[in-house]
Amino acid sequence: MDAIVRHIGDVCGREPSVRRVDCRLDEAGAEHAVLRRLLGLRGGEPLPPHRTRHAALKLVEKSPAQAPLVLAVGDAQWCDEGTLRWIDRLMRGPAQEPLTVLLSLAPGVPAPAAPAFHELMTRDGCSITDGSDLWPVGAAPPSRDVEGLDRRESRLLRVARAAVLLRSTDPHLVGPLAGLPLQVTGRLLEAARDLGLLPKRMPARCVPPQFDALMAALPDAEGEQLRAQAAEILNDAARPAGQVAELLLGLRTLDRPWMRALLKEAAATARRDRPATAATYLHKLHESAPDDLAVRTELAAVLTDIDPAAALEHLDGVLSRTDDPATRALAAGQHRLTALMTHRTPDTPAGLGELLRELRECASPLSCGGPTDDLALATRALRTALTGADPAAAVADAHQVLRTDRPRAAWARVAAAQVLALAGDTTTALGHLDRTVTDSRRRGEAWAQCHAGSVRALLLLESGRADDAVEAALAASSLAEEQERTGRTGLASISLALTLVARGDLDRSESVLRRLDGHDFDGSVREHHLHLTARALVERGRGRTEQALRLMERCGAGLTAAGIKNPLFTTWWLHSTELLMTLGRTGDAAERAELGRHLAERWPTPRSTGLSLLARGMVATGADRVELLAESVRVLQDSSDHHSRALAEMRLGTTLLRLGDEKAARGRLHAARATAVRCGLTAVAGQARVALAAAGGRPASVALSKAERPVAEMAAAGATNRTIADTLCLTVRTIEYHLTSVYRKLGVTGRAGLTHGLASPGAHGSARLPGEER
């Protein structure tokens, strides 16, 4: 009894006021006999029963203020009925402070036969305990670790575990799961908070990791049963399906029909904004019933932008296990799309045509909605753009896809953005790709984020934002490496290699490409031919012109065989023209330039027209060359391709120099260098710097101040900013300021370009740029 009183004081935080009495066998039949002794009424005239009850209530009211009251009745098996009924009424009445009634039974004595006793035990707030889980009087309070509490405070742990599972401290929910009355549950919840078993405020979706120990201490079978009970309580309380579903995920089996129905509801609710969560629910359903093809089809649809390889496995399983036309129709269009995304089906115009046909034939609203469906429109737009047949129709389809609230697959939005970029609207395309990357990151769609990020990096490079392009390509490449399955795509690495080439970092670009050795690109037209282009550009940068030309020729032959006639899908014909001129094969170069003119006429945009003029200008001579290159510069000003515009300016400048117009040549070369530096195109900036030296222009290094030159020379030698600052007795901030000015004046983007930027211009007088005849 003393241990229980001590426990009540610890739970309530205040010492209780105790009224104690022991029952006697000889008083078992006397009305209110125990109550009279509890009140201390001895001898004298007996009080009427109503006065006895009134006196008892007065006694309760006179208990010490702000102190819990404990009525302790020993040997309760002999307690009279009148006293028991009075205790019952007292417990059901209003109380200003906690009231605890302790009825102890002598060991080995038969249970009381009085009906009032058994009625009292059925009331809320009454329970039977032997006190073995409480610490004795005089002993130290229990430690706050779960292992220690598990031995001493089972009820406290039950309440804490129930609250953790339910993600709630509502006594109306916690009490039924813990098997305790409402009032007791409320007091124990407060105690659990005070002891640190529960947070002061329960998070909505999860609890801090330190509270996992509450569940870890339970045996597996008991934990399984508790989770199932918690899920049922929340379900009966009409809590959100997602909250109940989180509990069902922890069960080994879903042995009740309502559990599967609830998981389906939770998946449908989460699919739009939290597809990764929906996939988790559907995967649990698939584990519990592998033969449910409807669930497997839905799971594949949710996985499309997360892990298309896994989605394809599920769709293969569905199609191999059913002959039902409706089920097959449900999976057919989605299967074709995921096969395309995973390169099982080539993304050629013919492959896109097959996808379009299946989408049109599909009758299920879940996977497609007929010819006007966004996925079908995106497929048609991309196929039209690749064949270079009808730019206006391709752009109209792409805009319709991007006007939808959210396409069924991110592939559709990225494809539509690519079409707009090919048509010259790169700004709009980048805006949609930015949103796709952000949206996919928020939704946990790894494949979609990586794919959109890779395409975005390529468009940023084309737009003259080389620094942003490298950053975007690095992010996509890192994500691809983290996701082993979704990382099967090589587009992220190829995008990174191309951006590094533009930055003049051939070593890193070559290293990235080496990691792709052995990679099978046969199923992806885009990846295969961009990979060839990246390798060719590295070879050209190394001065290995023959090897670069062979790679470009392979690229062109492959695109022709695939039926791709868009001049901007890759500009292999422009690079090939340049390489052929470098090798002195002017006749072959003229043929390549004429092919570019023919392709540009099929797909007329400022960029395609400007590049065609650039290629033709490379192979022309005399005044015709100047006229074509000048027109190329003018036309490219209306496009977003700052990279090609800087190249055209540089070609025009070198042509004017050979014709003896040094003043005009220097103006064009300065413009080319300024554009390249502003856009972070280190390779082009370096070529422009060489050409300026050949034109007799003032070397950029001469423009360095007396304070900047030693800083630049030490940085080029490999010294750190701190070392330079200590040597020159300057602050690190001053060194950073000087280096920023040096980079701008030399037209480089970092330390890697300082060596070439500081080199003497004397050796550049007879330098020949790529694309000029031997």
Side-chain angles (χ1 to χ4, degrees):
M1 186 76 75
D2 290 339
I4 296 176
V5 171
R6 168 66 180 274
H7 173 68
I8 293 170
D10 279 22
V11 169
C12 296
R14 294 160 296 186
E15 185 177 354
S17 173
V18 182
R19 295 291 182 269
R20 180 169 182 169
V21 65
D22 292 323
C23 303
R24 297 199 296 263
L25 179 59
D26 58 356
E27 294 178 341
E31 185 75 359
H32 296 123
V34 176
L35 178 57
R36 288 170 56 81
R37 288 198 299 106
L38 182 66
L39 300 176
L41 301 176
R42 302 178 183 278
E45 183 180 352
L47 291 174
H50 71 277
R51 291 189 60 187
T52 305
R53 291 192 295 270
H54 179 73
L57 292 174
K58 286 292 185 182
L59 175 66
V60 173
E61 292 176 0
K62 291 179 180 178
S63 297
Q66 306 299 319
L69 176 62
V70 177
L71 298 181
V73 180
D75 291 328
Q77 67 273 14
W78 295 315
C79 187
D80 62 89
E81 290 247 4
T83 300
L84 290 172
R85 294 191 185 282
W86 176 83
I87 292 173
D88 187 15
R89 284 194 298 271
L90 183 64
M91 292 184 65
R92 287 186 283 116
Q96 298 299 320
E97 293 297 327
L99 170 66
T100 303
V101 177
L102 302 176
L103 304 178
S104 64
L105 306 177
V109 176
F117 184 91
H118 296 287
E119 290 178 12
L120 183 61
M121 290 301 100
T122 63
R123 302 293 185 196
D124 289 341
C126 292
S127 60
I128 300 175
T129 178
D130 61 3
S132 61
D133 56 340
L134 307 177
W135 62 93
V137 175
S143 61
R144 298 190 179 189
D145 63 280
V146 173
E147 183 179 355
L149 287 170
D150 195 34
R151 291 193 301 268
R152 300 186 180 103
E153 294 192 59
S154 61
R155 290 201 307 176
L156 197 60
L157 280 177
R158 274 162 39 207
V159 166
R161 287 190 179 111
V164 168
L165 282 176
L166 296 168
R167 304 291 190 262
S168 173
T169 53
D170 182 352
H172 293 86
L173 296 176
V174 176
L177 184 58
L180 294 170
L182 183 63
Q183 293 180 347
V184 174
T185 301
R187 292 196 296 269
L188 290 174
L189 283 170
E190 289 296 330
R193 291 191 192 96
D194 294 340
L195 288 170
L197 288 174
L198 293 176
K200 295 298 182 183
R201 186 172 183 177
M202 185 70 71
R205 295 190 57 82
C206 61
V207 295
Q210 60 264 35
F211 303 117
D212 289 345
L214 285 167
M215 295 303 302
L218 281 179
D220 290 343
E222 189 174 345
E224 175 91 358
Q225 182 180 5
L226 198 59
R227 285 186 176 88
Q229 291 174 348
E232 190 163 7
I233 288 171
L234 290 177
N235 188 44
D236 292 342
R239 289 302 176 96
Q243 186 178 358
V244 185
E246 292 298 322
L247 285 169
L248 297 180
L249 292 177
L251 302 180
R252 288 192 295 272
T253 59
L254 304 177
D255 54 1
R256 302 179 190 177
W258 70 266
M259 293 179 173
R260 290 185 56 80
L262 186 134
L263 277 175
K264 290 180 181 180
E265 178 188 347
T269 302
R271 180 171 178 178
R272 177 176 177 82
D273 296 318
R274 295 181 291 116
T277 302
T280 303
Y281 299 154
L282 291 168
H283 184 72
K284 183 67 176 180
L285 284 169
H286 171 59
E287 282 185 339
S288 67
D291 295 329
D292 190 334
L293 299 185
V295 166
R296 200 166 186 185
T297 303
E298 179 73 6
L299 175 58
V302 174
L303 285 172
T304 298
D305 284 341
I306 300 172
D307 187 350
L312 191 62
E313 290 179 8
H314 286 294
L315 291 169
D316 285 339
V318 171
L319 294 174
S320 66
R321 295 186 183 190
T322 182
D323 294 323
D324 177 59
T327 303
R328 294 188 68 85
L330 193 67
Q334 191 70 26
H335 185 275
R336 172 67 68 172
L337 173 64
T338 51
L340 195 74
M341 293 165 62
T342 55
H343 311 319
R344 184 189 291 187
T345 299
D347 52 349
T348 60
L352 293 171
E354 284 295 311
L355 172 59
L356 185 59
R357 180 185 61 79
E358 291 209 15
L359 290 173
R360 283 172 171 168
E361 293 176 354
C362 177
S364 169
L366 178 63
S367 57
C368 62
T372 60
D373 178 72
D374 49 31
L375 188 55
L377 285 170
T379 303
R380 187 171 71 183
L382 185 57
R383 186 185 64 167
T384 303
L386 292 181
T387 57
D390 190 345
V395 169
D397 284 345
H399 276 301
Q400 190 167 342
V401 172
L402 295 172
R403 278 196 296 269
T404 59
D405 179 37
R406 176 174 172 80
R408 299 183 189 277
W411 181 91
R413 179 174 289 178
V414 174
Q418 288 176 284
V419 171
L420 292 185
L422 289 172
D425 193 357
T426 305
T427 301
T428 302
L430 279 172
H432 285 287
L433 288 173
D434 287 343
R435 285 191 290 274
T436 302
V437 170
T438 302
D439 192 31
S440 299
R441 182 188 302 114
R442 176 180 60 82
R443 292 160 56 86
E445 295 172 329
W447 184 90
Q449 182 185 346
C450 181
H451 180 59
S454 302
V455 176
R456 177 173 174 268
L458 293 173
L459 296 191
L460 287 170
L461 178 60
E462 174 193 314
S463 301
R465 296 165 57 184
D467 292 339
D468 293 338
V470 171
E471 183 179 347
L474 281 170
S477 182
S478 297
L479 183 62
E481 291 176 1
E482 292 173 5
Q483 304 292 330
E484 182 178 353
R485 290 173 62 89
T486 59
R488 292 177 182 175
T489 176
L491 186 58
S493 296
I494 296 168
S495 300
L496 179 58
L498 286 168
T499 58
L500 290 172
V501 169
R503 290 283 302 274
D505 197 343
L506 296 179
D507 291 339
R508 286 182 64 195
S509 179
E510 200 166 18
S511 175
V512 170
L513 291 173
R514 273 199 300 268
R515 293 202 296 268
L516 294 175
D517 289 346
H519 194 103
D520 182 12
F521 293 110
D522 290 342
S524 172
V525 169
R526 185 176 187 84
E527 290 184 10
H528 176 59
H529 294 94
L530 285 177
H531 181 241
L532 289 173
T533 300
R535 289 174 56 197
L537 293 178
V538 170
E539 294 293 334
R540 185 191 67 179
R542 298 293 192 195
R544 298 190 283 263
T545 308
E546 294 279 2
Q547 294 90 325
L549 180 61
R550 282 197 293 270
L551 290 168
M552 284 298 179
E553 293 294 302
R554 281 179 57 192
C555 180
L559 291 172
T560 301
I564 295 178
K565 299 180 181 179
N566 191 299
L568 302 177
F569 184 71
T570 69
T571 55
W572 71 273
W573 50 272
L574 177 65
H575 297 303
S576 180
T577 301
E578 176 187 348
L579 292 168
L580 287 167
M581 288 295 295
T582 302
L583 293 172
R585 295 168 55 181
T586 55
D588 293 335
E591 290 182 5
R592 289 290 179 274
E594 185 62 21
L595 173 62
R597 183 187 66 79
H598 174 70
L599 294 174
E601 288 175 351
R602 288 173 53 89
W603 189 264
T605 68
R607 185 182 178 220
S608 64
T609 302
L611 294 181
S612 171
L613 289 167
L614 177 58
R616 289 156 57 197
M618 288 181 188
V619 300
T621 58
D624 290 341
R625 184 182 181 101
V626 173
E627 182 180 350
L628 287 168
L629 291 175
E631 183 66 7
S632 173
V633 171
R634 186 189 68 77
V635 173
L636 286 172
Q637 285 177 346
D638 295 330
S639 79
S640 62
D641 190 350
H642 300 288
H643 192 173
S644 296
R645 190 174 75 189
L647 283 171
E649 288 272 19
M650 188 174 60
R651 298 294 177 203
L652 179 57
T654 56
T655 298
L656 292 170
L657 179 61
R658 282 202 305 272
L659 294 176
D661 192 347
E662 292 187 359
K663 182 178 179 180
R666 285 194 293 271
R668 293 294 184 175
L669 293 172
H670 275 299
R673 175 178 168 275
T675 300
V677 170
R678 184 175 64 254
C679 297
L681 303 169
T682 308
V684 179
Q687 293 175 12
R689 189 166 54 249
V690 171
L692 269 172
R698 184 173 180 239
S701 58
V702 175
L704 299 184
S705 67
K706 292 181 179 180
E708 292 168 347
R709 178 166 289 280
V711 172
E713 290 174 349
M714 293 183 68
T720 64
N721 287 2
R722 171 56 64 186
T723 300
I724 299 173
D726 293 343
T727 302
L728 300 179
C729 298
L730 299 172
T731 66
V732 173
R733 189 182 185 90
T734 301
I735 300 302
E736 293 172 351
Y737 174 81
H738 284 326
L739 283 176
T740 300
S741 179
V742 168
Y743 295 155
R744 178 180 55 81
K745 291 180 179 180
L746 296 183
V748 298
T749 58
R751 275 177 156 78
L754 285 177
T755 302
H756 296 295
L758 293 171
S760 171
H764 297 319
S766 60
R768 181 173 51 82
L769 298 174
E772 296 183 347
E773 297 181 62
R774 289 185 182 276

